[in-house]
Amino acid sequence: MTLAALLWGVSATAFAQSNEKAGEYDYPHYFITLQGGAQATFTNYSFTDLITPQVALSFGRYFNPMVGVRLHVQGYEAKGGFKAGIHGLGSDSPYKFKALTGDLDLLVNMSNVLNPNRVCNKLNWILLAGFGVNNTWGYDDYNAIVNTINRDGNNIYYVGPEQCSTKHSTFNGRIGTQVEYNLSRNFALSLEADANYKNDIFNLKSSNSPDWQVAAFVGVTYKFGMKKKPAPVVEEAPAPAPPAPVVKEEPKPAPAPVVKDEPLKETFFYVIRESDPSTSSATLDKIVEWCNKYPSKKITIKGYADKGTGNARVNARYAKLRAERVAKALQDRGIAADRMEVSSYGDTVQPFADNDSNRCTIVVGE
């Protein structure tokens, strides 16, 4: 049962590799098989005298093109016999009884195992192995022989469980092979031959060794539960596309000219010790005009002193005073203080090579 459960989950990858070739839509599927045939048991009696008819019914499933399982039930009649001379019997004495065998069988389709990419799957060669239970009943013939032996004052050949019960169950093991021919997608014919390992008391007497029973069947199988084959796709020629409407293009307006911002850079120059920018009113007017033209922009005001005169302390005071007075003059002309960044460098920075030119304030706007 564990093996069957494992086989139920056989890898879909391996199945997909062979599915298209060995019947793309035929696996997995279920099946029902009805069989008729004959069987005989190898025992200490003439084999040909023990042949009896058999019928069988099985239900199973193939999980993929290679592996399946089935529940197989066969039976009808079985035979055994006592040889002449045993316990005073004057002749061979055969007897009949009813027998039924149920097995769980593993099926391996060797045709697909050996050639997983085959295109034609009409004929399949299958190996099978299984285990199950025998059940026997109807011992009238056997009991009549035993009673005859008892009446003669002899011990019976076998005293066993059948005297305590009207039924009798034993273990069964099986190996076999089958050849199957597919008549169509749903129907197949088959020939099967099996060898069944029987417990010693299957034929109602003991010889201290198990018996083998061989059986042969002809069968018909109905398969169902396969995948539906998709309907063939008929490609229709596409309808011609309607002509595209003629769109009259409107003339595009000429792009607006790109106006680049004009940068601002103006310089106030002073004589020594001077810091008043009012003497350069024209320069102040240019700065005010630029600020009004670009109201969102800011300006920087930087004051300087020349290094050639005075000292660092005096020059720092003059540079700061020059920058602050330019800022004050611009505020008086309407430029907001938050648009101006005021700083001074004393004589630490000399923007011009000429010494006297460094007495200056530089205003920059971008």
Side-chain angles (χ1 to χ4, degrees):
M1 294 299 291
T2 302
L3 178 59
L6 291 173
L7 290 170
W8 194 283
V10 169
S11 170
T13 303
F15 165 47
Q17 293 174 351
S18 59
N19 190 26
E20 180 177 357
K21 296 297 183 183
E24 181 177 3
Y25 299 98
D26 294 341
Y27 297 92
H29 68 257
Y30 295 93
F31 64 88
I32 296 176
T33 302
L34 179 63
Q35 296 171 306
Q39 64 86 25
T41 305
F42 289 97
T43 183
N44 59 341
Y45 202 81
S46 174
F47 173 79
T48 56
D49 290 339
L50 301 182
I51 297 174
T52 57
Q54 292 282 284
V55 293
L57 180 66
S58 60
F59 173 77
R61 173 179 170 86
Y62 270 97
F63 310 114
N64 58 49
M66 301 177 187
V67 179
V69 295
R70 74 176 184 181
L71 178 62
H72 184 270
V73 179
Q74 73 176 66
Y76 173 61
E77 193 173 73
K79 286 184 179 181
F82 291 96
K83 297 293 289 183
I86 297 178
H87 300 296
L89 289 174
S91 63
D92 291 347
S93 301
Y95 55 89
K96 298 178 182 179
F97 58 94
K98 301 298 183 182
L100 191 67
T101 300
D103 271 37
L104 179 65
D105 296 330
L106 168 68
L107 309 175
V108 179
N109 189 325
M110 295 302 297
S111 298
N112 291 333
V113 170
L114 298 175
N115 185 10
N117 294 320
R118 65 189 181 124
V119 175
C120 179
N121 64 335
K122 284 286 187 183
L123 193 65
N124 294 302
W125 169 43
I126 299 163
L127 295 181
L128 59 95
F131 57 90
V133 176
N134 304 297
N135 193 301
T136 59
W137 71 99
Y139 310 142
D140 292 345
D141 288 358
Y142 173 82
N143 290 331
I145 297 172
V146 170
N147 290 335
T148 298
I149 296 173
N150 285 335
R151 282 197 303 269
D152 293 340
N154 298 315
N155 294 323
I156 63 171
Y157 180 76
Y158 168 71
V159 178
E162 75 283 351
Q163 292 188 337
C164 300
S165 173
T166 58
K167 293 186 179 180
H168 179 106
S169 297
T170 59
F171 168 80
N172 185 78
R174 171 183 295 161
I175 57 173
T177 187
Q178 185 184 102
V179 177
E180 178 188 70
Y181 181 78
N182 290 314
L183 300 174
S184 66
R185 191 177 183 219
N186 295 99
F187 289 95
L189 295 177
S190 64
L191 296 175
E192 180 174 331
D194 301 328
N196 294 275
Y197 177 90
K198 302 290 186 179
N199 187 280
D200 184 30
I201 59 176
F202 169 75
N203 57 3
L204 313 181
K205 58 180 184 172
S206 175
S207 59
N208 295 319
S209 65
D211 298 320
W212 281 93
Q213 180 192 79
V214 293
F217 295 98
V218 176
V220 60
T221 298
Y222 173 65
K223 304 176 183 181
F224 60 98
M226 287 89 80
K227 296 179 181 177
K228 291 185 178 179
K229 293 183 178 180
V233 179
V234 179
E235 294 185 1
E236 297 181 358
V246 178
V247 179
K248 185 177 179 180
E249 295 185 1
E250 297 291 337
K252 296 181 179 179
V258 179
V259 179
K260 293 185 178 181
D261 294 347
E262 297 177 359
L264 168 71
K265 185 174 183 179
E266 297 293 337
T267 304
F268 296 87
F269 294 100
Y270 307 92
V271 298
I272 191 170
R273 290 187 294 278
E274 184 182 347
S275 58
D276 185 4
S278 59
T279 56
S280 303
S281 58
T283 302
L284 290 171
D285 292 340
K286 290 180 180 180
I287 296 172
V288 171
E289 182 181 358
W290 187 91
C291 289
N292 291 334
K293 187 175 181 180
Y294 304 105
S296 63
K297 295 183 179 294
K298 295 184 178 183
I299 59 176
T300 60
I301 303 172
K302 299 178 181 180
Y304 302 89
D306 68 290
K307 199 175 185 70
T309 59
N311 55 53
R313 182 179 60 80
V314 172
N315 290 339
R317 182 169 61 84
Y318 272 109
K320 181 179 179 182
L321 191 58
R322 287 164 180 165
E324 289 175 348
R325 286 186 174 181
V326 169
K328 180 65 169 60
L330 292 174
Q331 289 182 51
D332 292 343
R333 292 170 179 255
I335 306 303
D338 59 2
R339 294 183 62 187
M340 292 179 272
E341 181 181 334
V342 182
S343 59
S344 61
Y345 298 91
D347 59 11
T348 60
V349 176
Q350 301 289 281
F352 298 102
D354 175 52
N355 179 75
D356 293 349
S357 297
N358 291 313
R359 294 189 292 269
C360 66
T361 297
I362 299 175
V363 179
V364 175
E366 294 181 341

